[in-house]
């Protein structure tokens, strides 16, 4: 049986108290499958259920079977009666349609697929009865819903992750991409964890009441399903976050890793052309034998070097990075395995190499809390780019303002080392609640995770050091740079209203697209550098020179403020 600890459940229920229909207490049921074993929380069973949009990936599979070798179609959702989102999703491809769970897109796929193929794919996954029309195939309840046993559903999603589709493997990849994105910023964004594939479903019970479903998978063989009644799919995803994180923290895989952290190094660059140098005074095992003290050699995919004191280099770009640990080269990435302390020191060296000792301890604790939330990449706990946390090992620090040309920062003194006493304080403080994120400068107006990413806390704690608006900035994005970053044909741009998560909306002929902060930041950085969007902008104005943006602070402005 899954134990749902009282503390988590209280938190979840408090969160839902506001949204629960007519004071009815929401009930959360959980199903967990790991290594083929099913566990069910109290009060739930393995009887067949209607799960709504969780059917959608299998509609995509049916379409692929009916259209071998065809690329996935694009479709414009105009909303209204055709989709749960009344204003419409605009133009979508398969993976985005799945991330946003667009009904209009999947109805279009289902209508373009003969019924026998829909029945074959949905039936093969475990859904019954066979769908009689497109509505039923996409999980809408006319005339009666399809149902599936939770154990079959979890098994079918695991298979989706592992088994290629003989007809339409590229589409399966798009489906997986859509599920991946869903766990970050889609309908399942409430999971608030990385390294997952996820999908939600909302099933109407009657005119006023719905049941929410959220299903999440990781690549360690874990699959979990949550049902929240009453609730929506998005709420079920938020409710699943705590039990899922608790289970993943306690899994044997994590326990084996113990004190270790895996980091993707130089994540913004291809993992080719690097060399490794032994900085230590004794030979280091390197898979081919040993790398002698002071010896250096080229790295190839498949290499494993260490543990030891290493320097990774990319001469062509003048890049170096020193660290203590092990190095593994895969086809796509350079993966370092370090102790937690070494990782924390490497983030401190990047973000706060000098300065206030108390603040360094607070940052170290935030880094530990951040790590405790679970891994953020399939093959690593974290990357070293701003996607996760800026990490420079034992230096040198790099100037990443232009992502295409990282350079070593100007000569500067070595970062202050972290003493035993401070490490002890960091470990103790990391165990008590506090900020999980940190940012360059709050600008006097810290933001919540809800405001920036659309999940988690809705209200930000005030910054103890900046109570008035400060660190204001203005940037101009020339029209040409804009089109280079976001593509041609932009007709207008706007900022999403304050109520929802921050977003930069672009309107083009035939469609609109909203970019979240990280995405907008990354797109612009490729053209004008990382400083092009210092933080989520407050104002936007079209001028003769281009788009003029104004804002305050540096970074996402969530969590611990590192500003002077
Ligand atoms: Zn839609
Ligand atoms: Zn990352
Ligand atoms: Zn501040």
């Amino acid at each position: 049986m899954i134990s749902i600890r009282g503390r988590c459940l209280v938190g979840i229920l408090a969160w839902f108290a506001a949204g629960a229909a007519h004071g009815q207490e929401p009930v959360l049921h959980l199903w967990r499958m790991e290594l083929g074993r099913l566990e069910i929380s109290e009060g739930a069973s393995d009887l067949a259920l209607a799960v709504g949009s969780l059917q959608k990936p299998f509609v995509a599979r049916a379409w692929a079977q009916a259209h071998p070798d065809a690329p996935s179609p694009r479709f414009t959702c105009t909303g209204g009666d055709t989709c749960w989102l009344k204003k419409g999703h605009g133009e979508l491809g398969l993976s985005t349609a799945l991330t946003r769970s667009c009904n209009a897109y999947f109805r279009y796929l289902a209508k373009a697929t003969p019924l026998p193929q829909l029945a074959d794919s949905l039936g093969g996954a475990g859904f019954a009865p066979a769908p009689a029309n497109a509505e039923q195939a996409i999980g809408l309840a006319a005339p009666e819903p399809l149902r599936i046993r939770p154990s079959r559903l979890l098994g079918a999603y695991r298979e989706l992750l592992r088994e290629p589709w003989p007809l339409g493997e590229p589409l399966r990849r798009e489906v997986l991409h859509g599920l991946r994105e869903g766990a970050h910023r889609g309908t399942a964004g409430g999971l608030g964890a990385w390294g997952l594939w996820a999908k939600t479903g909302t099933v109407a019970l009657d005119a006023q009441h719905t049941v929410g479903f959220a299903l999440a998978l990781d690549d360690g063989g874990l699959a979990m399903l949550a049902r929240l009644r009453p609730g929506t799919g998005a709420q079920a995803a938020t409710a699943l976050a705590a039990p899922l994180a608790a289970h993943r923290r306690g899994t044997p895989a994590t326990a084996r890793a113990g004190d270790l952290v895996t980091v993707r190094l130089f994540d913004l660059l291809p993992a080719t052309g690097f060399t490794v140098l032994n900085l230590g005074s004794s030979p280091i095992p390197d898979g081919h034998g040993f790398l002698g003290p002071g010896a250096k050699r080229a790295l190839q995919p498949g290499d494993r070097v260490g543990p030891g004191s290493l320097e990774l280099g990319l001469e062509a770009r003048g890049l170096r990075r020193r660290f203590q640990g092990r190095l593994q080269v895969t086809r796509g990435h350079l993966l370092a395995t370090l102790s937690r302390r070494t990782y924390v020191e490497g983030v401190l060296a990047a973000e706060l190499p000098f300065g206030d000792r108390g603040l360094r301890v607070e940052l170290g604790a935030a880094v530990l809390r951040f790590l405790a939330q679970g891994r953020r990449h399939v093959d690593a706990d974290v990357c070293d780019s701003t996607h996760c946390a800026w990490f420079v090992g034992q230096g040198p620090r790099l100037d990443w303002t232009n992502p295409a040309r990282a350079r070593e920062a100007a000569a500067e003194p070595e970062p202050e080392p972290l003493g035993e006493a401070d490490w002890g304080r960091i470990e103790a403080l990391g165990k008590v609640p506090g900020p999980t994120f940190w940012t360059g400068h709050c600008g006097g107006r810290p933001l919540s995770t809800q405001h920036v990413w659309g999940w988690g806390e809705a209200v930000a704690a005030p910054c103890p050091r900046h109570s008035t608006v400060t660190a204001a900035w203005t940037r101009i994005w020339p029209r040409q740079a804009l089109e280079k970053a976001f593509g041609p044909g932009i007709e207008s741009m706007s900022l999403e209203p304050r109520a929802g998560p921050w977003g930069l909306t672009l309107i083009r002929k035939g469609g609109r697209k909203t970019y979240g902060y990280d995405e907008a930041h990354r797109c612009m950085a490729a053209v004008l550098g990382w400083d092009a969007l210092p933080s989520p902008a407050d104002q936007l104005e079209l001028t003769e020179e281009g788009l003029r943006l104004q804002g305050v602070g540096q970074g996402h402005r969530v969590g611990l403020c590192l500003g002077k």
Side-chain angles (χ1 to χ4, degrees):
M1 284 298 182
I2 299 167
S3 69
I4 305 169
R5 298 198 190 287
R7 198 167 54 85
C8 300
L9 201 59
V10 169
I12 293 160
L13 294 179
W15 195 89
F16 286 111
H22 313 302
Q24 207 180 333
E25 249 190 37
V27 177
L28 178 68
H29 285 151
L30 297 169
W31 291 261
R32 185 176 75 212
M33 190 180 272
E34 202 168 18
L35 306 169
R37 265 186 41 227
L38 178 73
E39 293 188 71
I40 304 176
S41 68
E42 243 176 87
S45 75
D46 196 25
L47 290 178
L49 299 167
V51 294
S53 291
L54 293 179
Q55 292 170 211
K56 283 173 180 164
F58 307 100
V59 172
R61 180 169 70 181
W63 189 92
Q65 276 164 1
H67 303 82
D69 298 327
S72 66
R74 295 189 70 79
F75 180 81
T76 301
C77 166
T78 53
D81 290 340
T82 68
C83 191
W84 60 268
L85 188 68
K86 296 298 160 226
K87 66 173 182 175
H89 285 105
E91 193 195 328
L92 299 159
L94 174 57
S95 84
T96 313
L98 197 62
T99 299
R100 312 238 163 104
S101 204
C102 176
N103 286 345
Y105 184 93
F106 280 91
R107 187 181 295 106
Y108 168 77
L109 283 194
K111 281 190 172 163
T113 308
L115 278 174
Q117 254 124 351
L118 285 170
D120 189 44
S121 176
L122 285 159
F127 290 94
N133 55 45
E135 294 296 301
Q136 242 185 337
I138 65 170
L140 295 171
E144 73 166 306
L146 308 191
R147 292 176 199 277
I148 188 168
R149 284 179 185 273
S151 57
R152 290 288 305 270
L153 181 67
L154 291 169
Y157 268 81
R158 284 238 62 85
E159 195 182 298
L160 196 63
L161 215 59
R162 279 195 321 253
E163 305 282 327
W165 290 352
L167 302 170
E169 175 61 7
L171 271 74
R172 187 183 70 102
R173 284 166 203 260
E174 287 176 50
V175 164
L176 293 185
H177 184 70
L179 296 175
R180 195 72 159 168
E181 289 294 298
H184 290 222
R185 61 179 72 106
T187 50
L191 284 168
W194 280 259
L196 296 174
W197 291 264
K199 182 80 195 82
T200 61
T202 304
V203 178
L205 291 174
D206 54 47
Q208 280 112 44
H209 301 91
T210 58
V211 182
F213 288 92
L215 190 152
L217 310 158
D218 73 7
D219 60 349
L222 173 70
M224 265 178 106
L225 172 71
R227 177 175 68 164
L228 189 73
R229 180 184 178 142
T232 63
Q235 288 172 336
T238 307
L240 178 56
L244 182 68
H247 183 71
R248 291 174 95 205
R249 265 200 298 279
T251 54
T254 319
R256 260 202 317 279
D259 191 40
L260 299 176
V261 180
T262 319
V263 190
R264 276 190 191 171
L265 297 179
F266 295 110
D267 194 41
L268 296 171
L269 303 174
T272 50
F274 281 89
T275 56
V276 64
L277 165 69
N278 178 358
L279 294 171
S281 53
S282 42
I284 291 175
D286 81 343
H288 303 266
F290 288 90
L291 189 65
K296 179 159 132 179
R297 70 170 181 81
L299 285 167
Q300 306 291 342
D303 279 352
R304 286 167 188 272
V305 187
S309 183
L310 307 175
E311 183 179 283
L312 191 60
L314 182 59
E315 222 147 281
R317 290 175 186 253
L319 299 181
R320 294 183 300 132
R321 181 164 306 158
R322 290 170 286 144
F323 67 94
Q324 184 76 36
R326 279 186 285 134
L327 181 69
Q328 184 191 344
V329 189
T330 65
R331 251 189 209 282
H333 298 109
L334 297 161
L335 301 176
T337 306
L338 322 161
S339 73
R340 272 157 83 241
R341 176 167 174 173
T342 306
Y343 179 69
V344 168
E345 286 172 339
V347 176
L348 285 177
E351 295 276 9
L352 216 57
F354 320 100
D356 183 54
R357 206 171 141 207
L359 191 57
R360 277 166 54 91
V361 168
E362 278 189 66
L363 173 57
V367 175
L368 289 183
R369 290 185 206 107
F370 175 76
L371 285 176
Q373 290 206 321
R375 50 156 62 181
R376 295 169 56 113
H377 292 272
V378 197
D379 57 352
D381 294 303
V382 283
C383 68
D384 65 350
S385 83
T386 51
H387 168 264
C388 286
W390 189 24
F391 166 90
V392 298
Q394 292 163 310
R397 292 170 95 206
L398 294 172
D399 177 357
W400 281 105
T401 41
N402 181 345
R405 278 198 306 276
R407 286 169 305 145
E408 282 187 23
E412 59 182 23
E414 294 273 304
E416 287 168 24
L418 192 61
E420 282 305 317
D422 281 348
W423 173 242
R425 289 168 66 204
I426 286 174
E427 281 212 292
L429 192 60
K431 291 192 179 93
V432 302
T436 306
F437 296 97
W438 53 94
T439 190
H441 198 303
C442 71
R445 280 206 321 260
L447 301 178
S448 65
T449 58
Q450 185 69 247
H451 185 99
V452 180
W453 299 297
W455 53 265
E457 293 184 347
V459 181
C463 175
R465 283 170 304 121
H466 307 104
S467 54
T468 52
V469 168
T470 169
W473 54 259
T474 301
R475 295 288 182 278
I476 307 249
W477 296 352
R479 177 121 206 144
Q480 231 181 344
L482 251 173
E483 303 221 316
K484 220 167 145 190
F486 296 105
I490 300 168
E491 288 175 355
S492 73
M493 298 185 81
S494 61
L495 288 175
E496 283 296 294
R498 294 210 167 254
W502 187 93
L504 179 65
T505 298
L506 265 71
I507 296 170
R508 292 189 173 84
K509 202 167 284 151
R512 56 190 280 150
K513 178 166 177 178
T514 299
Y515 295 79
Y517 173 64
D518 293 325
E519 207 181 353
H521 189 205
R522 192 175 268 262
C523 287
M524 245 9 253
V527 181
L528 295 179
W530 287 111
D531 200 34
L533 184 61
S535 68
D538 297 324
Q539 276 181 49
L540 170 159
E541 189 189 351
L542 261 172
T543 68
E544 272 180 23
E545 309 154 281
L547 192 69
R548 182 186 157 93
L549 296 112
Q550 286 177 290
V552 297
Q554 273 161 25
H556 46 58
R557 286 159 57 197
V558 176
L560 180 69
C561 171
L562 306 178
K564 288 231 170 66

